[in-house]
Amino acid sequence: MKVNPLSWIQKVCQYKAKVACVKSRDMHWALVAHRDQRDINLSSLRMLVVADGSNPWSISSCDAFLNVFQSKGLKPEVICPCASSPEALTVAIRRPVEEGSTPPGRGVLSMQGLSHGVIRVDSEEKLSVLTLQDVGSVMPGAMMCVVKPEGVPQLCKTDEIGELCVCTVATGTSYYGLAGMTKNTFEVFPTFNTGAPISEFPFTRTGLLGFIGPAGLIFVAGKMDGLMVVGGRRHNADDIVATALAVEPMKFVYRGRIAVFSITVLHDERIVVVAEQRPDSTEEDSFQWMSRVLQAIDGIHQVGVYCLALVPSNTLPKTPLGGIHLSETKQLFLEGALHPCNVLMCPHTCVTNLPKPRQKQPEIGPASVMVGNLVSGKRIAQASGRDLGQIEDNDQFLFLSEVLQWRAQTTPDHVLYTLLNSRGTIASSLTCVQLHKRAEKIAGMLAERGHLQDGDHVALVYPPGIDLIVAFYGCLYAGCVPITVRPPHPQNIATTLPTVKMIVEVSRSVCVMTTQLICKLLRSKEASAAVDVRTWPPVLDTDDLPKKKPPLLYKPSNPDTLAYLDFSVSTTGMLAGVKMSHTATSAFCRSIKLQCELYPSREVAICLDPYCGLGFVLWCLCSVYSGHQSILIPPSELEVNPALWLSAVSQYKVRDTFCSYSVMELCTKGLGLQTDSLKSRGLDLSRVRTCVVVAEERPRTALTQSFSKLFKDLGLHPRAVSTSFGCRVNLAICLQGTSGPDPTTVFVDMRALRHDRVRLVERGSPHSLPLMESGKILPGVRIIIANPETKGPMGESHLGEIWVHSGHNASGYFTVYGDEALQSDHFNSRLSFGDTQTVWARTGYLGFLRRTELTDASGERHDALYVVGALEEAMELRGMRYHPIDIETSVIRTHKSITECAVFTWTNLLVVVVELDGSEQEALDLVPLVTNVVLEEHYLIVGVVVVVDIGVIPINSRGEKQRMHLRDGFLADQLDPIYVAYNM
């Protein structure tokens, strides 16, 4: 038949056959090929059985065939369509009628009516009709009825479409080995609407949809397995295929290979159309065809297509007979393994069952909230760390420079700092007296070469190491205010140098201190391409220090003056510098000393960037204050040797260590397969008492847990791993110390969280989100949860902004543009009700306090602080508050090739950027999966899906995603994406 489509007609002529059994496609191909045949005579045929006559679309083949071959002796009454199904075998067949009697029946039915399951006769002129031919009458000895397609097999009314059921001995009797399905298919007892069975004999479901027309003729409108119920209306996959194939250009779909199925997303079925496109079609053709198909299906069936995907020719899975394997196609689509070359998603037009957007109710005043909380017995959400306690010998000093001088006199040879290189050997170390002497020389250099007055600002541009510490104390000795700045990256000057320049300018630094190497870099040709190098303040190279000491060290007198400035870029791309006074700096060091029980005999390993926040304080200040030895490990060295940090912890028998999320991720990814070899090398983490991740965000529970699990074999106690929490107004609010209960984890309902409510649920319940406590509140810190809008105090376990009152709060923002209103509000806020006297600093983070059953060191019940996310990062969508990390977590889980994800909003559209680790042909597989998961789990429609290469999403030194930088890059068209899908 493939070689010669006319072969069956030739055989009919040759043998003067009376009966022929064909499928409608055989008739179709015969039509195409018949032109060059002369001597065809079909007058011998008494019956031309059309085996797939139950397919509603066979009627056009029958009509066209009769049209052409009537002149060759074919009689119209000879064409006999029949209906069959695998379970019920032959269901109905049309018998040839005598000449001259009435022609067989035709039904022209409205598609709109069919979608509601009723029969409405319409006129043939319209496009939105289905023309059916009858498939004859019921087989002899059989009884047939029509039952409702869903639910109990109840008889349909005469104008309803339902599933045909037959009662006869000539059907199958069971599915082999499937008792339950057998009962449902072969042992059906249809009932009247009263509930009484219509017969004592069982019926068999045929799997065919149809109705019994006038004079007992059977009409079949489609198959049960292609039935899709969308928004309560029924559509047949075959009808939609036919509509798509009828769209110009007809030849666009390769060999008519098209699959239509439905997937369930957000409690309803959604229609997916997958077609193979011709090998020669262009992008332009594809999009034109796709938009026409959408219009046609919408016009004729009044239903939206959720996803339209085009795949290269010959790539859809085939059945043994050469048709399209539907269930396998659907499986590939859902697994993200279909590899389409074009995708068009229309969730905006299709998804109409989203929950209503949240209407903001007028706020209840803070006073009534407070009274309400008291009435319902809720505590006001406030908590504090323990008191700072009695003063020890080194706490009498108000200034760090005095503590260093005292240590240089009393314990001159005690080692404070040890710096490791990438091989794990000591690169350099520093005793109290060495630090003091080198700092003196720096102070001398500042006075001599820099001619600085006290109070001048000095930018320290050093790689993580000892020089940075020396330069810092040199500035204190000279009475200058240091600002630590991350040096530009030599391979990436164009993007990193402008930030350095900006911090130097914004901080009003009058000179820059750095190493010889960086000095050259700042004046290099690449540098002059990135910034204006002529406007640098004087740059002092500290590699060759003057021999002589300064005449006199600066004696600070007022502890409320500036000790240093702390500059950091927030995740939203804001550069914010905060002022740290001498009082705050000492209080900070003291608080950490008490919480972590730091003494001169202790060793602490630090693998952090020393440029801002708690990382800087631990790297540069704590050792001088508490006298313990700090083992310094620059995080950049871990890229060369991922085991460096943990080997050092093991080798030096360290009990306390600090790291960042990026370090933890490096270890988890880089050492995942090496735990056995590390163990055989004697790596032992059993002495670690605290391993703290220094962070300014919601704790990443998944990462800390996988880290704990991975290194459990090396003796790491899971209880040792915890996180800290700090922000711009207070660089460390919480930090898991040595005493006190372990950090707890609670599960909250993500849907309630979007409405700013906290609802605790059990682990593993749907929509649950694990939140880990951010360490213990530091000594001398008080926290209250306040409503960010009304500034009233909140009750316990209520979501609000975290406000903090502490001796080590920063004293304000330091910016040239000084947005005063913002500044005073962030650092000097008072509650609008309740305790209106205390001055609080607003952290800008949402969180809640919860009193646990555990007791803390003082014997009181322990209050746990849970951080949910930054207010400035949260997205307002459909009246609800979404935290980007929650959507990103869902997206990363959908497909193994998504390594990283970031979301942001753009003109009310949600934009999802995913990094693809795989071949580019997988890029389009991700679009439907991402859209589905965000709809299912967050009730949001994704506006744009951007698929990019690994490493495009910018990440800062703390391992946080810079979503605003990414957004700027997207809007400026700088991401160089693999694919961008705009959902309709």
Side-chain angles (χ1 to χ4, degrees):
M1 288 287 284
K2 265 190 178 159
V3 179
N4 173 15
L6 275 180
S7 54
W8 72 271
I9 292 190
Q10 289 160 357
K11 292 282 177 285
V12 167
C13 299
Q14 190 181 340
Y15 294 107
K16 303 240 179 326
K18 288 199 167 54
V19 180
C21 182
V22 296
K23 286 187 106 166
S24 47
R25 66 157 182 230
D26 306 330
M27 297 159 81
H28 174 79
W29 287 111
L31 285 174
V32 177
H34 86 281
R35 287 184 181 78
D36 38 357
Q37 292 288 331
R38 294 200 174 64
D39 44 350
I40 293 179
N41 181 2
L42 298 180
S43 56
S44 67
L45 274 181
R46 194 171 65 81
M47 229 181 151
L48 178 60
V49 180
V50 185
D52 59 347
S54 62
N55 178 349
W57 302 99
S58 65
I59 186 168
S60 53
S61 298
C62 295
D63 288 355
F65 189 78
L66 180 64
N67 206 8
V68 169
F69 286 100
Q70 203 161 2
S71 59
K72 318 260 183 183
L74 181 71
K75 301 188 271 295
E77 63 273 8
V78 161
I79 294 178
C80 296
C82 79
S84 63
S85 83
E87 290 80 8
L89 310 181
T90 305
V91 176
I93 187 164
R94 194 196 287 175
R95 305 182 56 186
V97 285
E98 290 72 44
E99 279 184 69
S101 62
T102 52
R106 285 271 161 115
V108 181
L109 308 182
S110 134
M111 288 269 196
Q112 175 83 20
L114 284 175
S115 75
H116 290 286
V118 292
I119 302 158
R120 291 287 175 269
V121 177
D122 216 325
S123 69
E124 277 212 37
E125 286 75 72
K126 290 190 186 159
L127 278 173
S128 55
V129 292
L130 183 63
T131 306
L132 298 181
Q133 58 185 353
D134 71 275
V135 288
S137 44
V138 186
M139 302 295 286
M143 184 166 145
M144 183 178 288
C145 67
V146 185
V147 302
K148 304 234 159 112
E150 295 100 21
V152 184
Q154 215 179 41
L155 281 187
C156 288
K157 302 272 189 293
T158 49
D159 67 342
E160 285 181 314
I161 288 238
E163 184 174 8
L164 304 179
C165 292
V166 291
C167 174
T168 165
V169 289
T171 64
T173 52
S174 67
Y175 290 122
Y176 179 71
L178 300 171
M181 285 178 68
T182 294
K183 200 160 185 56
N184 218 356
T185 307
F186 295 97
E187 299 166 20
V188 178
F189 289 92
T191 61
F192 295 108
N193 51 12
T194 57
I198 60 170
S199 152
E200 60 197 296
F201 299 110
F203 280 67
T204 298
R205 290 180 185 270
T206 62
L208 299 174
L209 279 172
F211 58 96
I212 300 172
L217 293 176
I218 309 294
F219 289 85
V220 175
K223 291 211 242 0
M224 278 295 286
D225 65 0
L227 196 62
M228 304 180 289
V229 183
V230 181
R233 288 173 55 217
R234 299 189 207 136
H235 303 278
N236 226 306
D238 292 334
D239 299 351
I240 288 177
V241 168
T243 302
L245 287 178
V247 168
E248 294 293 325
M250 302 278 257
K251 290 280 177 285
F252 177 79
V253 178
Y254 180 68
R255 296 199 167 162
R257 293 174 58 77
I258 191 162
V260 173
F261 52 86
S262 66
I263 57 172
T264 305
V265 181
L266 197 66
H267 319 304
D268 199 359
E269 290 187 38
R270 315 281 173 196
I271 295 179
V272 179
V273 178
V274 183
E276 286 188 4
Q277 64 177 27
R278 289 175 53 124
D280 54 358
S281 50
T282 64
E283 192 86 349
E284 185 58 31
D285 299 340
S286 310
F287 276 105
Q288 256 190 334
W289 184 81
M290 285 160 94
S291 52
R292 285 179 189 149
V293 166
L294 291 177
Q295 287 166 352
I297 293 177
D298 186 49
I300 293 175
H301 303 274
Q302 276 98 45
V303 66
V305 174
Y306 178 68
C307 176
L308 184 50
L310 297 178
V311 296
S313 51
N314 278 324
T315 54
L316 286 180
K318 298 186 169 91
T319 60
L321 288 175
I324 292 175
H325 200 307
L326 248 180
S327 57
E328 217 169 289
T329 304
K330 177 172 175 176
Q331 193 58 32
L332 288 176
F333 177 81
L334 290 173
E335 285 170 2
L338 195 59
H339 307 327
C341 46
N342 259 315
V343 162
L344 190 55
M345 302 274 305
C346 310
H348 290 280
T349 44
C350 270
V351 180
T352 49
N353 63 337
L354 279 172
K356 274 209 186 86
R358 171 187 177 204
Q359 303 290 314
K360 281 272 165 65
Q361 300 304 327
E363 281 291 346
I364 309 158
S368 35
V369 168
M370 186 154 179
V371 171
N373 280 332
L374 294 173
V375 170
S376 66
K378 279 210 179 71
R379 297 170 50 251
I380 293 297
Q382 55 186 343
S384 52
R386 54 192 174 148
D387 289 338
L388 280 170
Q390 73 283 358
I391 288 187
E392 293 168 35
D393 47 7
N394 65 323
D395 298 339
Q396 74 232 13
F397 301 112
L398 293 168
F399 302 97
L400 271 173
S401 48
E402 291 177 351
V403 179
L404 178 55
Q405 288 161 35
W406 171 73
R407 288 204 185 279
Q409 280 163 358
T410 52
T411 55
D413 299 327
H414 173 64
V415 178
L416 285 180
Y417 294 104
T418 308
L419 178 74
L420 301 185
N421 59 20
S422 61
R423 291 187 302 285
T425 49
I426 295 177
S428 54
S429 65
L430 209 53
T431 62
C432 300
V433 74
Q434 284 170 332
L435 175 56
H436 170 66
K437 291 226 161 98
R438 281 179 65 185
E440 279 186 328
K441 287 181 180 165
I442 294 249
M445 179 180 182
L446 280 170
E448 190 184 320
R449 290 194 206 156
H451 311 296
L452 300 189
Q453 271 104 42
D454 59 338
D456 277 345
H457 296 182
V458 179
L460 313 180
V461 186
Y462 288 94
I466 299 278
D467 291 345
L468 175 73
I469 302 169
V470 171
F472 181 85
Y473 288 99
C475 286
L476 295 189
Y477 278 3
C480 300
V481 176
I483 298 107
T484 48
V485 185
R486 171 190 309 280
H489 196 288
Q491 269 83 53
N492 196 355
I493 288 183
T495 52
T496 54
L497 191 63
T499 314
V500 177
K501 187 87 164 58
M502 188 171 160
I503 296 178
V504 169
E505 282 169 5
V506 172
S507 64
R508 302 201 193 115
S509 299
V510 294
C511 98
V512 173
M513 289 210 295
T514 184
T515 63
Q516 206 162 4
L517 203 67
I518 295 172
C519 210
K520 287 190 183 128
L521 195 66
L522 294 182
R523 299 213 170 93
S524 65
K525 198 146 79 221
E526 294 96 327
S528 53
V531 297
D532 181 3
V533 289
R534 290 165 310 189
T535 57
W536 284 112
V539 178
L540 301 181
D541 150 25
T542 55
D543 284 2
D544 50 335
L545 291 174
K547 292 285 168 281
K548 55 179 210 249
K549 298 194 343 191
L552 252 178
L553 290 187
Y554 171 75
K555 278 268 180 287
S557 52
N558 176 6
D560 291 331
T561 53
L562 267 184
Y564 71 97
L565 290 177
D566 184 301
F567 271 89
S568 144
V569 178
S570 78
T571 50
T572 51
M574 292 278 296
L575 175 71
V578 292
K579 301 187 279 204
M580 289 295 286
S581 66
H582 287 283
T583 319
T585 307
S586 301
F588 198 160
C589 292
R590 185 137 176 261
S591 186
I592 291 175
K593 175 187 167 179
L594 283 176
Q595 190 81 331
C596 301
E597 297 178 6
L598 300 175
Y599 304 106
S601 56
R602 297 282 301 284
E603 289 172 336
V604 174
I606 295 164
C607 189
L608 284 168
D609 273 325
Y611 300 107
C612 62
L614 183 54
F616 163 75
V617 173
L618 289 164
W619 189 281
C620 288
L621 311 184
C622 286
S623 267
V624 168
Y625 190 87
S626 310
H628 60 276
Q629 180 185 346
S630 289
I631 296 159
L632 306 175
I633 304 154
S636 52
E637 303 284 13
L638 262 71
E639 286 164 22
V640 186
N641 173 10
L644 174 64
W645 168 50
L646 295 176
S647 310
V649 167
S650 164
Q651 185 187 339
Y652 292 96
K653 303 185 171 41
V654 170
R655 296 188 65 189
D656 300 282
T657 179
F658 294 87
C659 70
S660 64
Y661 279 126
S662 22
V663 165
M664 194 167 260
E665 200 155 24
L666 247 172
C667 290
T668 315
K669 284 184 178 160
L671 305 175
L673 304 169
Q674 298 176 28
T675 45
D676 291 343
S677 70
L678 290 173
K679 196 171 186 174
S680 63
R681 275 189 269 158
L683 191 94
D684 175 25
L685 302 176
S686 59
R687 290 188 198 78
V688 176
R689 182 171 55 168
T690 57
C691 166
V692 177
V693 187
V694 172
E696 303 192 358
E697 55 179 306
R698 176 203 299 177
R700 301 188 197 170
T701 7
L703 179 58
T704 49
Q705 279 171 356
S706 52
F707 177 81
S708 305
K709 276 196 189 119
L710 192 58
F711 296 106
K712 196 172 114 196
D713 298 349
L714 299 178
L716 179 69
H717 202 293
R719 298 212 315 239
V721 182
S722 63
T723 67
S724 71
F725 172 64
C727 59
R728 290 284 71 200
V729 299
N730 184 319
L731 305 177
I733 295 168
C734 302
L735 173 63
Q736 186 73 20
T738 46
S739 58
D742 300 324
T744 52
T745 299
V746 293
F747 291 84
V748 296
D749 185 330
M750 210 167 1
R751 290 165 303 184
L753 213 51
R754 291 174 205 148
H755 294 267
D756 291 339
R757 291 197 297 272
V758 175
R759 197 174 135 241
L760 298 180
V761 291
E762 289 301 313
R763 176 184 183 157
S765 60
H767 296 280
S768 65
L769 172 75
L771 289 180
M772 187 164 106
E773 175 190 351
S774 296
K776 301 288 160 284
I777 299 169
L778 278 168
V781 175
R782 277 176 61 198
I783 284 176
I784 193 157
I785 305 290
N787 181 320
E789 277 91 33
T790 63
K791 300 188 180 180
M794 305 285 281
E796 193 186 339
S797 290
H798 280 246
L799 191 69
E801 187 182 10
I802 302 166
W803 287 17
V804 55
H805 170 84
S806 146
H808 63 257
N809 275 5
S811 41
Y813 282 122
F814 180 90
T815 42
V816 174
Y817 319 106
D819 184 353
E820 298 307 319
L822 176 84
Q823 178 174 336
S824 62
D825 190 41
H826 275 205
F827 289 90
N828 310 308
S829 282
R830 293 173 195 265
L831 290 173
S832 55
F833 199 81
D835 165 17
T836 51
Q837 293 313 303
T838 313
V839 176
W840 301 89
R842 301 179 59 164
T843 62
Y845 282 81
L846 289 174
F848 60 95
L849 276 166
R850 179 174 158 269
R851 177 153 278 194
T852 62
E853 298 300 314
L854 309 164
T855 49
D856 58 26
S858 58
E860 299 285 313
R861 276 178 66 191
H862 165 66
D863 292 303
L865 174 70
Y866 299 93
V867 178
V868 172
L871 268 165
E872 60 173 2
E873 280 217 320
M875 304 181 293
E876 279 274 326
L877 290 163
R878 312 192 71 247
M880 291 174 281
R881 200 193 305 269
Y882 286 89
H883 295 277
I885 186 71
D886 296 327
I887 299 176
E888 290 158 2
T889 307
S890 299
V891 170
I892 289 173
R893 281 202 312 253
T894 59
H895 195 279
K896 62 179 188 308
S897 300
I898 300 179
T899 53
E900 189 53 275
C901 164
V903 302
F904 52 83
T905 51
W906 166 55
T907 63
N908 277 345
L909 283 179
L910 178 63
V911 181
V912 178
V913 181
V914 293
E915 288 185 3
L916 169 72
D917 174 16
S919 63
E920 297 203 349
Q921 65 187 65
E922 286 182 31
L924 283 94
D925 285 317
L926 307 179
V927 178
L929 296 183
V930 167
T931 310
N932 291 355
V933 75
V934 176
L935 257 175
E936 280 276 332
E937 297 187 10
H938 302 278
Y939 308 148
L940 289 177
I941 292 178
V942 176
V944 188
V945 180
V946 187
V947 184
V948 295
D949 294 306
I950 293 180
V952 169
I953 296 173
I955 290 199
N956 69 8
S957 60
R958 290 192 296 273
E960 299 165 339
K961 295 171 203 169
Q962 302 280 292
R963 297 182 183 91
M964 291 305 122
H965 280 316
L966 183 68
R967 181 173 186 263
D968 297 341
F970 169 72
L971 297 181
D973 209 10
Q974 293 162 345
L975 297 187
D976 185 24
I978 300 171
Y979 190 80
V980 181
Y982 292 91
N983 286 347
M984 313 273 284

